[in-house]
Amino acid sequence: MTSRFELPRRGVLGLMGASLGLSLLPAPLRAQTAGVNTGRLHGLSIFGNLKYQPGFTQFDYVAPDAPKGGSLSQTPSNGAYNASLLSFDTLNGFILKGNAPPGLDYVFDTLMTRALDEEDAVYGLAAESVEIRDKGNRLIFHMREAARFHDGSKLTAEDAAFSLNLLKAQGHPLIALNLREMKEAKALDAATLSIVFTGNQTRDLAIYIAGGLPIFSKAWYTAHAFEETTLVPPLGSGPYKISEFKAGEFVTYERVPDYWARDLNVNIGQWNFGKLRFDFYRDRTAAFEAFASGQYRFREEFTSKTWATQYDFPAVKDGRVRLETLPDHTPSGAQGWFINTRREKFADPRVREALTLAFDFEWTNRNLFYGLYQRTVSFFENSPMRAEGLPSPDEMKLLEPWRSKLPEAVFGPAYSPPRTDGSGQDRKLLRRAMDLLDQAGWKIIDGIRKNAKGEALTVEFLGDDPILQRIEGPYIKNLKLLGITAQSRLVDSAQFQKRIKSYDFDLVVQRYSLGLTPGIEMRGYWGSEFARTDGSRNLSGIENPAINALIEKVIAAPTRADQIVAARALDRVLRAGQYWIPQWYKASYALAFWDIFARPDTLPKYDRGVERCWWFDAARAKKLGIEG
């Protein structure tokens, strides 16, 4: 999950979706094989289209002759699984316990790797090729002979099988539950990995396994307990290894000079920095001042006030620091205050809608955000999967079987929070909120909203970053006008992560970062099975059979057009359920960096590409008197 804009991203791996089958193949091969078996494939994609053909030399968005060396230092802006952006106490990023630093994916290679200019394609990395057999229920990966761990030991199919079985048994719940339909992973020999599925798996599980999961050294993790937190740097096989760190303060990943895969087509022109360093700051002001003074060199800005008013320090004025806004073509996802419906006081959707009506986005955007944002309304914001207007006939076919179990609003125009008058206290909307609370049984008694049991309606906004308190302050005033006792609770990063994992909150801000081809990750966001699983992304505790069924329709869609239809239907149901108070988005990256970097002329369409594709420019750095 990620949080973005006014809050750094909290990321999950962007997954893809739908039932594993030969639609994974390039279209010509799909026609030839007629659903039986394939020969060796150099890549996979969800709907069968691969941009890069066998024998390609490099990705289009890299500079193949980019120099190596120098360093890129920054504060974290995204992370996966148990990663924290404010601190860390473990170097194990693939379990539920502890808080890990972002960047551990640089340490471990995967079977295949993603192309950043395609929606969901992956190409051979540790595995040179893959075969699809038994109508998609079995994958055979052929490992590269040259693959090595950083200690020189050989990376084999045995390591890959061990890793998958370990992650299924002991990995973070978001990994383990996604692997439940992997029946068996075993090495047929040192060069051949066999993965057998149950037959009930989603199509994107193959790509998730191939391109998203790390390969561990069996020997190393036999000697080191995987399920425990640790500050021992792990043995990996990727382009970087951990060289220096101080728990909670910084971690440095050093480029492996003899990295076994450095000359592969999927790595040419990539991983150019000699060092990647992440510095951790608990205070946003201190982090900004550290950047301005040159203590770290690259920053993605998420705070509109800072971007609009504070980038006027000397290094910006004299050109030593560059400011750029780059387009973001990925879905902006769903950012908002997520309401914990596991708590009885939030069980009634009328209460949840009342909370939404009390937030004045138009006032907030004008007075606090300098007009830089747009209102988020959809769980698929900034993508074709966002529902608009009335349901189409194809959407109705998916929704109609659930009519008796869905609110009537699902079958009308897609729900969007009403536009306020921008006054900060829109009386019309506040009166509507009062009516909804009355209808839900929360009456005003001595100025306080109380239910029939005499319990007061209270709302606590949980956070670990004070930046949101300036936004929540005016919102809380409106809630108090409704008779709701509301407060903002700021806790340290460790406590915040613990409370999120155990769902110990009323409202919390997060951002879901959906992939371009959404898939099995949606179960973790909105599926009933994840509602009671600690550490899942189903923060609102959604348990709805119609949503479960529509998720599976999105996952199993045979074409991208069908997937868009199913996603729009799902979006309608989610929005009508009032599970969140939607916030804001901006379809761009706001970047500030010291002028010591260079990048390719063509950037990847679906990623910033900074760590992968940019490089340290020694000549520019010399002009500024900066060493690598």
Side-chain angles (χ1 to χ4, degrees):
M1 112 192 33
T2 69
S3 261
R4 188 173 178 196
F5 313 129
E6 303 306 312
L7 189 71
R9 311 179 196 201
R10 302 184 191 281
V12 295
L13 293 176
L15 308 182
M16 290 67 72
S19 143
L20 176 61
L22 291 179
S23 53
L24 285 165
L25 303 179
L29 287 175
R30 193 164 66 241
Q32 292 170 16
T33 54
V36 188
N37 297 327
T38 74
R40 297 192 180 192
L41 305 174
H42 74 296
L44 300 173
S45 72
I46 294 296
F47 295 114
N49 298 314
L50 292 176
K51 175 181 178 180
Y52 296 96
Q53 300 306 305
F56 72 95
T57 58
Q58 66 190 58
F59 292 132
D60 290 344
Y61 50 82
V62 303
D65 56 351
K68 309 297 184 184
S71 63
L72 172 69
S73 54
Q74 60 183 314
T75 53
S77 60
N78 60 77
Y81 306 124
N82 68 347
S84 170
L85 307 185
L86 299 180
S87 182
F88 69 94
D89 54 22
T90 181
L91 297 177
N92 186 346
F94 303 98
I95 60 173
L96 181 60
K97 292 181 181 178
N99 300 307
L104 287 169
D105 50 314
Y106 307 145
V107 175
F108 299 99
D109 273 331
T110 51
L111 291 165
M112 307 183 92
T113 188
R114 184 183 162 214
L116 303 181
D117 57 351
E118 296 182 82
E119 288 91 343
D120 50 40
V122 292
Y123 297 89
L125 180 56
E128 183 177 25
S129 62
V130 59
E131 298 177 60
I132 302 177
R133 298 184 181 177
D134 301 336
K135 297 184 178 180
N137 291 322
R138 186 183 184 196
L139 299 179
I140 302 294
F141 287 94
H142 300 279
M143 309 299 291
R144 294 189 191 268
E145 173 65 27
R148 294 288 187 275
F149 290 102
H150 296 153
D151 65 354
S153 60
K154 192 171 182 179
L155 186 158
T156 70
E158 186 69 31
D159 296 297
F162 167 82
S163 302
L164 290 170
N165 291 321
L166 184 65
L167 287 166
K168 181 178 180 180
Q170 301 179 17
H172 192 285
L174 288 173
I175 303 174
L177 286 174
N178 283 336
L179 289 179
R180 61 188 172 181
E181 300 301 340
M182 182 189 75
K183 182 178 180 180
E184 176 186 75
K186 70 176 181 179
L188 302 182
D189 55 46
T192 313
L193 169 69
S194 170
I195 298 174
V196 179
F197 299 104
T198 63
N200 298 317
Q201 71 280 359
T202 59
R203 180 171 59 208
D204 61 320
L205 182 56
I207 293 182
Y208 173 60
I209 288 174
L213 296 180
I215 300 174
F216 303 129
S217 164
K218 180 179 180 180
W220 199 87
Y221 275 104
T222 299
H224 297 78
F226 175 74
E227 71 275 15
E228 298 297 334
T229 59
T230 180
L231 289 174
V232 177
L235 174 64
S237 61
Y240 291 90
K241 63 181 179 181
I242 296 174
S243 60
E244 297 179 279
F245 69 93
K246 186 174 182 180
E249 295 188 17
F250 75 91
V251 60
T252 299
Y253 300 93
E254 183 177 15
R255 187 173 179 271
V256 178
D258 58 350
Y259 171 43
W260 73 271
R262 64 186 182 277
D263 296 324
L264 290 183
N265 53 2
V266 294
N267 281 328
I268 291 292
Q270 300 191 75
W271 312 120
N272 302 313
F273 291 104
K275 292 183 179 180
L276 298 172
R277 173 174 166 132
F278 293 97
D279 291 318
F280 293 79
Y281 296 88
R282 295 177 185 271
D283 180 79
R284 203 177 277 254
T285 299
F288 175 80
E289 291 174 350
F291 171 75
S293 64
Q295 294 181 43
Y296 63 95
R297 307 295 185 179
F298 181 94
R299 176 179 173 87
E300 183 174 356
E301 184 56 66
F302 299 97
T303 306
S304 55
K305 180 179 180 181
T306 302
W307 187 247
T309 67
Q310 293 184 236
Y311 282 90
D312 59 355
F313 51 88
V316 173
K317 291 180 177 180
D318 63 26
R320 287 176 292 155
V321 168
R322 294 174 57 185
L323 307 180
E324 291 197 8
T325 301
L326 299 180
D328 181 0
H329 297 289
T330 60
S332 293
Q335 179 172 306
W337 287 281
F338 287 87
I339 306 169
N340 189 356
T341 66
R342 301 171 187 83
R343 298 194 163 175
E344 185 178 355
K345 59 186 175 182
F346 301 129
D348 193 316
R350 292 172 294 188
V351 173
R352 305 196 295 268
E353 184 177 358
L355 298 182
T356 295
L357 294 171
F359 175 57
D360 192 330
F361 168 76
E362 281 68 34
W363 182 92
T364 302
N365 193 37
R366 185 179 68 249
N367 291 278
L368 301 181
F369 297 162
Y370 299 82
L372 292 176
Y373 297 121
Q374 298 180 59
R375 184 72 189 267
T376 294
V377 301
S378 167
F379 286 81
F380 297 90
E381 196 61 71
N382 193 40
S383 87
M385 299 181 186
R386 167 177 159 163
E388 301 280 358
L390 292 168
S392 68
D394 287 337
E395 290 173 60
M396 284 298 296
K397 290 178 183 178
L398 299 177
L399 294 169
E400 193 62 46
W402 298 98
R403 181 179 282 274
S404 64
K405 299 182 182 299
L406 293 174
E408 190 59 31
V410 168
F411 301 91
Y415 177 84
S416 295
R419 186 178 179 86
T420 72
D421 62 13
S423 66
Q425 294 180 356
D426 189 313
R427 294 186 178 183
K428 181 179 178 181
L429 297 184
L430 290 176
R431 282 197 297 269
R432 171 62 178 155
M434 290 180 182
D435 290 342
L436 288 170
L437 292 169
D438 286 340
Q439 294 169 24
W442 294 92
K443 307 292 185 179
I444 290 284
I445 301 176
D446 298 327
I448 303 296
R449 286 279 167 188
K450 295 183 178 180
N451 61 14
K453 300 177 184 177
E455 299 167 331
L457 180 55
T458 62
V459 172
E460 179 184 272
F461 295 82
L462 179 67
D464 62 350
D465 191 326
I467 191 66
L468 279 170
Q469 292 185 317
R470 73 187 183 105
I471 301 159
E472 291 168 350
Y475 185 13
I476 287 172
K477 289 182 181 179
N478 282 351
L479 293 175
K480 289 181 177 179
L481 290 175
L482 300 178
I484 297 172
T485 303
Q487 64 174 332
S488 180
R489 175 64 58 87
L490 190 66
V491 298
D492 64 47
S493 177
Q495 185 179 355
F496 179 81
Q497 294 294 335
K498 182 178 180 180
R499 289 184 62 176
I500 291 295
K501 290 174 182 177
S502 61
Y503 312 117
D504 182 16
F505 62 86
D506 284 349
L507 271 67
V508 67
V509 175
Q510 294 291 310
R511 174 178 176 257
Y512 292 145
S513 182
L514 291 166
L516 293 151
T517 308
I520 55 178
E521 77 276 16
M522 294 185 297
R523 292 174 176 169
Y525 294 156
W526 311 309
S528 297
E529 183 176 1
F530 286 81
R532 307 290 172 176
T533 301
D534 284 358
S536 86
R537 304 314 190 206
N538 189 346
L539 297 178
S540 295
I542 298 170
E543 296 184 80
N544 184 308
I547 289 174
N548 295 339
L550 289 169
I551 288 172
E552 299 309 311
K553 291 291 186 181
V554 179
I555 291 174
T559 68
R560 192 170 296 279
D562 291 325
Q563 187 174 68
I564 289 173
V565 168
R568 288 175 178 173
L570 172 61
D571 190 33
R572 292 179 187 280
V573 178
L574 288 168
R575 287 157 66 176
Q578 304 289 342
Y579 297 112
W580 66 331
I581 300 130
Q583 291 183 337
W584 46 83
Y585 77 98
K586 183 173 62 175
S588 60
Y589 301 105
L591 305 181
F593 52 92
W594 287 75
D595 192 16
I596 58 175
F597 306 117
R599 66 188 186 210
D601 293 333
T602 300
L603 296 175
K605 185 175 182 179
Y606 299 122
D607 196 275
R608 288 186 332 180
V610 176
E611 293 83 359
R612 283 179 174 262
C613 308
W614 291 29
W615 62 89
F616 181 81
D617 190 316
R620 291 182 181 180
K622 185 176 181 180
K623 289 181 180 179
L624 300 185
I626 295 175
E627 297 181 359

